[in-house]
Amino acid sequence: MAFGSALGVACLAAVLTIPAILEAHDVRTTARSPKAAQQGNVVYQNFVDPYGSRPLRRTFLARTGPGEAPTPPGITALPGPGEAVVSPELRDVLAAHPNASGLVPGRVTGIIGPEGLGGPNELYAYVGTTPDKLTEPRALDRFGSSHLQDEIVDQETLGILRFTLGCIVLLPLVVFLSVCARLSGESRARRLAALRLVGLSIKDTVRVNAAENVAAALLGAVLGLAGYLGANEVMARIGLPGFQWYPADGRPEGSTVVVCLVGCPALAWIVGLYSGRRAALSPIAVRRTAERRPPRRIGALLLVPGMGVIGGYCVMSVMGRDPSGGSASSTLVPCAVILTGAGLVFGLPPVTAWLARRLAGVSRSLPMTLAMRRTEVDPGSSLRVVTGLVLLVFGASLTQGVLIELDQVSRRTAPLQEYVIQMKDLTPAQRQQLKKLPGVRTHLASYSSWTPPGSRYSKGLDVVVGTCEQVAAVAISVQGCVDGKVMRLSDGQPLSEYDPKPGERFPFALRDGRKAVLTVPEASAELHAYQPSVLLSGMLLVPPSLAPAGLAAEAGSLTLVSGAEDGTVRAVLDGIGAVAPTAEVEAVGIVIEALAQLAVIRSLLGVGMVLGLVVGVAAFVVSVADRALERRGQVVALGLLGARAGTLRVVQVVQVSVPLGVGLGGAVVAGWLAEASYLITGGGAVHWDWEGLPVLVGSAVGVLVVAGIASVPVVRRHVDPEHIRRD
């Protein structure tokens, strides 16, 4: 009981501390956020660019006058022109990759302290410069904001994370602690019955059991907290993929300590009151091993509303209807998931008893008959053995759904990567350098038509200056394109009233202030482009020889195209930073904050799965030991009757495998449908996780095989005279 409580409390403290770690990160990033003012003696400009799959945040600062200037947390003074103060992680990156030094122009003069960073692995820099080098300077008032800035996980996703961790860790944890308390009570049942028979009252007998549970649980809670504190100090320095925190962030708060030191003993008290009632009410039945009552079937009814909601959403998707969005879905799906999980747990004993009775009636095998008759008499024991593993598999399917939904909004699936840079942020020399960067396959220049000042809904025209070969290198296919001729790019769909029609004329601004007019031609080329992309239906493809001379850079953008491999993307971004460090880069299709958030979510859910696996396996081991203690007398009796050791071991394996197989089968089906309902209501493109289903089935089969093998060593044929006398 003490060991189980220690393990459970350590896992509980880890789960409860995760939100506190994320909150500490957000508090520090919000405190360093610059706030704009009408005027001041310092101007700034923020940049957030992808460095591989990680966000690189830079704040350029320039003085416009004398006087005292505000400083952000973590540094003592603002860097001057040609100076930079960087985070420790960025310092290491710059030292390991000298070609990335262009991202932080200037000499590194200092390191940002922990109070100015969200975490130890953050890429952040304060760069000193002059006002004329900033494209969009803003006057600085102070550092700090009343709203969260640079959140590591947004609030909506944090709610999903909490719910998922609750399903894959907290639910199995409650079961595990209950199993430990139940085992502790079973080992004392005969002694409690003896106390009752010699005159102790029912109330006092139950209290004795509960008090012993509480004493063991309290000792375990203290040991668990101490174990978690040690693990936090180690893991904070090692970190997780994409996520690292300071050790102080992971130390449990007072509320977490109270929950662990009070909640675990309270659960042990409740279970102790319940598990001790049988010995207190029927001491003779405990001493003489009376037949137990059949399990109640009411628990299985929880599956009806749970699977009803989940199945309803799945049917709507099959019928072609889209039930995504709305507050009803965000409430119904979590409730349905909880009801389904509870139904799987409480519905397992009656289903197992019914199946055991049917199998025992048709079986001609001695081990199968013995195992099924025993399971029929006491199906509740199967609940304790398999519940943790069943909930783990059920929660794993939900984890897959969460990761798929987040992955859809952050990852680009095209084999090409496009980078858009506004021409107004580049000099002519920089444009030429960017076109020749290693890894860049081709480039495109795009311009938007001139819009009268104050006009909000004027129809516009976008043109791409390039050749058919350049466009074909960016798109899936381009059919009907003719070089040396202005072409209208179309995806083959009928034109809408907002699309440019052949014969319409659009003005384009020139550098000298004049306007050049382009007419939409009749000729068109059929375009099939990757999405998202800078190439859109309705654009004009203008050969460089026919493009108006002197198009204004304010209305243009330069698009570089490379392969989508991680190394190539990182190399191109490094090159862009080296050539134009203050230019804002848009990596098309990559939501860099979402990618970083996805890495954090993956790591935290991975931790949750590991904790859930530890709890599930521990619950299985404890429960198998529990059943071995319960069946010692029966094993001895069967051995005296002539049952071989192999027969007894097969009986044990079957007794574990059948209820576990039933539970895992239900968990796979219900979990996969629950995952589908989550994806359907999430509104993403993926509704059915066919790729994850074989993984889920394979995991369930692996758990079943390992559980069967692990249950063999607990059967022994040692003849204990005490067991013979009792039975």
Side-chain angles (χ1 to χ4, degrees), residues 240-494:
L240 301 171
F243 182 49
Q244 196 171 354
W245 64 97
Y246 294 107
D249 296 343
R251 291 166 190 155
E253 300 175 345
S255 58
T256 301
V257 174
V258 170
V259 169
C260 293
L261 294 182
V262 175
C264 182
L267 178 63
W269 175 268
I270 295 173
V271 175
L273 292 177
Y274 173 78
S275 60
R277 289 186 63 83
R278 180 168 176 263
L281 295 175
S282 304
I284 296 296
V286 172
R287 299 291 296 182
R288 298 299 179 214
T289 317
E291 183 177 352
R292 300 188 178 185
R293 295 183 301 175
R296 298 178 180 178
R297 302 179 181 179
I298 190 172
L301 296 178
L302 295 174
L303 286 170
V304 176
M307 291 302 298
V309 173
I310 290 172
Y313 281 119
C314 294
V315 170
M316 291 178 68
S317 177
V318 172
M319 295 173 61
R321 299 182 180 181
D322 184 13
S324 62
S327 57
S329 299
S330 61
T331 303
L332 285 176
V333 171
C335 292
V337 168
I338 294 175
L339 289 175
T340 302
L344 286 173
V345 172
F346 295 114
L348 191 58
V351 172
T352 302
W354 176 84
L355 181 63
R357 185 164 55 253
R358 295 293 185 273
L359 291 176
V362 299
S363 174
R364 295 295 181 265
S365 168
L366 176 61
M368 175 65 75
T369 302
L370 288 174
M372 291 300 97
R373 289 304 182 192
R374 173 61 185 172
T375 304
E376 177 187 357
V377 171
D378 187 17
S381 60
S382 64
L383 178 66
R384 304 196 300 274
V385 174
V386 306
T387 296
L389 299 178
V390 168
L391 287 177
L392 179 64
V393 172
F394 180 69
S397 61
L398 295 177
T399 303
Q400 287 186 161
V402 172
L403 293 176
I404 290 173
E405 185 68 22
L406 292 174
D407 194 63
Q408 291 183 87
V409 300
S410 60
R411 188 171 298 278
R412 179 178 170 87
T413 58
L416 301 177
Q417 180 59 56
E418 303 171 11
Y419 315 84
V420 180
I421 311 166
Q422 299 302 314
M423 287 189 184
K424 63 181 180 179
D425 298 338
L426 303 172
T427 64
Q430 287 175 327
R431 297 175 203 168
Q432 296 302 319
Q433 289 178 285
L434 291 177
K435 295 174 184 178
K436 298 177 182 179
L437 286 177
V440 174
R441 298 182 180 181
T442 187
H443 63 274
L444 296 172
S446 304
Y447 295 89
S448 299
S449 61
W450 177 78
T451 303
S455 176
R456 299 178 58 187
Y457 303 103
S458 176
K459 183 192 295 188
L461 176 67
D462 295 327
V463 301
V464 176
V465 179
T467 64
C468 293
E469 181 181 359
Q470 287 177 299
V471 174
V474 180
I476 300 174
S477 65
V478 180
Q479 300 176 358
C481 186
V482 179
D483 281 320
K485 186 177 181 180
V486 179
M487 307 289 294
R488 179 167 47 85
L489 301 178
S490 173
D491 58 5
Q493 300 297 325

Side-chain angles (χ1 to χ4, degrees), residues 163-179 303 337-348 382-399 608-609 611-613 615-617 619 659-660 662-668 670-671 696 700 703:
F163 176 76
T164 308
L165 288 176
C167 289
I168 63 178
V169 180
L170 295 184
L171 288 180
L173 184 59
V174 172
V175 173
F176 171 60
L177 293 177
S178 301
V179 166
L303 286 170
V337 168
I338 294 175
L339 289 175
T340 302
L344 286 173
V345 172
F346 295 114
L348 191 58
S382 64
L383 178 66
R384 304 196 300 274
V385 174
V386 306
T387 296
L389 299 178
V390 168
L391 287 177
L392 179 64
V393 172
F394 180 69
S397 61
L398 295 177
T399 303
M609 289 298 296
L611 294 177
L613 179 62
V615 169
V617 171
L660 183 58
V662 173
L664 291 178
V668 168
L696 203 61
V703 169

Side-chain angles (χ1 to χ4, degrees), residues 402-624:
V402 172
L403 293 176
I404 290 173
E405 185 68 22
L406 292 174
D407 194 63
Q408 291 183 87
V409 300
S410 60
R411 188 171 298 278
R412 179 178 170 87
T413 58
L416 301 177
Q417 180 59 56
E418 303 171 11
Y419 315 84
V420 180
I421 311 166
Q422 299 302 314
M423 287 189 184
K424 63 181 180 179
D425 298 338
L426 303 172
T427 64
Q430 287 175 327
R431 297 175 203 168
Q432 296 302 319
Q433 289 178 285
L434 291 177
K435 295 174 184 178
K436 298 177 182 179
L437 286 177
V440 174
R441 298 182 180 181
T442 187
H443 63 274
L444 296 172
S446 304
Y447 295 89
S448 299
S449 61
W450 177 78
T451 303
S455 176
R456 299 178 58 187
Y457 303 103
S458 176
K459 183 192 295 188
L461 176 67
D462 295 327
V463 301
V464 176
V465 179
T467 64
C468 293
E469 181 181 359
Q470 287 177 299
V471 174
V474 180
I476 300 174
S477 65
V478 180
Q479 300 176 358
C481 186
V482 179
D483 281 320
K485 186 177 181 180
V486 179
M487 307 289 294
R488 179 167 47 85
L489 301 178
S490 173
D491 58 5
Q493 300 297 325
L495 294 177
S496 69
E497 60 177 319
Y498 301 105
D499 293 326
K501 307 296 191 298
E504 290 185 323
R505 297 162 60 86
F506 293 87
F508 285 80
L510 301 178
R511 286 194 295 268
D512 57 8
R514 295 183 301 161
K515 305 294 185 297
V517 177
L518 289 179
T519 303
V520 180
E522 289 284 351
S524 66
E526 188 172 348
L527 171 72
H528 295 278
Y530 298 106
Q531 294 300 327
S533 173
V534 295
L535 295 178
L536 300 172
S537 178
M539 298 181 91
L540 291 191
L541 175 60
V542 180
S545 59
L546 299 179
L551 286 170
E554 285 73 13
S557 61
L558 176 65
T559 301
L560 306 178
V561 182
S562 74
E565 300 81 13
D566 289 342
T568 303
V569 172
R570 175 171 294 182
V572 173
L573 290 170
D574 291 346
I576 296 174
V579 174
T582 60
E584 187 171 351
V585 183
E586 178 191 355
V588 178
I590 295 181
V591 185
I592 188 61
E593 289 85 355
L595 272 179
Q597 176 175 277
L598 180 61
V600 174
I601 294 295
R602 283 185 184 276
S603 296
L604 295 180
L605 290 181
V607 171
M609 289 298 296
V610 170
L611 294 177
L613 179 62
V614 169
V615 169
V617 171
F620 171 78
V621 172
V622 170
S623 300
V624 169

Side-chain angles (χ1 to χ4, degrees), residues 116-262:
L117 297 172
N121 63 335
E122 189 175 19
L123 301 178
Y124 202 94
Y126 294 102
V127 183
T129 185
T130 55
D132 59 295
K133 293 184 179 180
L134 298 180
T135 56
E136 297 180 2
R138 305 178 69 181
L140 176 64
D141 179 25
R142 57 184 173 83
F143 289 94
S145 175
S146 57
H147 303 286
L148 291 178
Q149 302 289 331
D150 299 340
E151 299 171 270
I152 190 171
V153 177
D154 62 74
Q155 295 303 306
E156 182 180 357
T157 307
L158 182 58
I160 297 173
L161 175 65
R162 286 172 173 166
F163 176 76
T164 308
L165 288 176
C167 289
I168 63 178
V169 180
L170 295 184
L171 288 180
L173 184 59
V174 172
V175 173
F176 171 60
L177 293 177
S178 301
V179 166
C180 291
R182 181 71 180 269
L183 172 60
S184 182
E186 289 286 348
S187 64
R188 298 192 301 268
R190 295 178 63 83
R191 179 169 52 82
L192 292 174
L195 291 175
R196 178 76 181 95
L197 290 174
V198 297
L200 197 64
S201 67
I202 295 177
K203 183 180 295 186
D204 288 340
T205 303
V206 171
R207 286 177 176 175
V208 166
N209 185 50
E212 291 181 349
N213 274 357
V214 169
L218 187 58
L219 172 62
V222 174
L223 295 176
L225 278 176
Y228 167 75
L229 287 172
N232 172 67
E233 297 297 322
V234 174
M235 290 303 301
R237 289 166 173 79
I238 297 175
L240 301 171
F243 182 49
Q244 196 171 354
W245 64 97
Y246 294 107
D249 296 343
R251 291 166 190 155
E253 300 175 345
S255 58
T256 301
V257 174
V258 170
V259 169
C260 293
L261 294 182
V262 175

